[in-house]
Amino acid sequence: MTIRHVVSWKLAAEDAAERATQAAEVARRLNALDGVVPQLLSISAGANMAYADANWDVTLVADFDSIAALEEYQVHPAHEEVVAYVRSVVSGRVAVDFEV
């Protein structure tokens, strides 16, 4: 069983250029967890590239071999560092975890 963890964030900045910079930084920090957090089977994060008025600003897709592995990832110190930055720039978050 693989658990796919998908998260999207809406950033708080009103200025489009600032929002784009922050989205790129969120994605960079998340992608940097590859090889650092052992529970990650795969990770891909990216900033939105189209329909900025309708789409969310940045999305993460990460795979884990179990819910337990996902929970371990959530409390990994490197992930918690990224979370601190993300929380400082976002206004909204949606997430879905499903089996693939």
Side-chain angles (χ1 to χ4, degrees), residues 38-87:
Q39 293 80 11
L40 280 166
L41 298 177
S42 68
I43 186 167
S44 180
N48 180 54
M49 300 301 293
Y51 313 110
D53 56 331
N55 290 353
W56 288 60
D57 296 303
V58 62
T59 295
L60 161 74
V61 178
D63 289 342
F64 301 88
D65 61 11
S66 66
I67 292 292
L70 171 60
E71 291 171 350
E72 290 171 20
Y73 158 81
Q74 297 287 359
V75 297
H76 189 283
H79 176 258
E80 288 183 335
E81 256 184 64
V82 174
V83 167
Y85 174 74
V86 171
R87 285 184 178 155

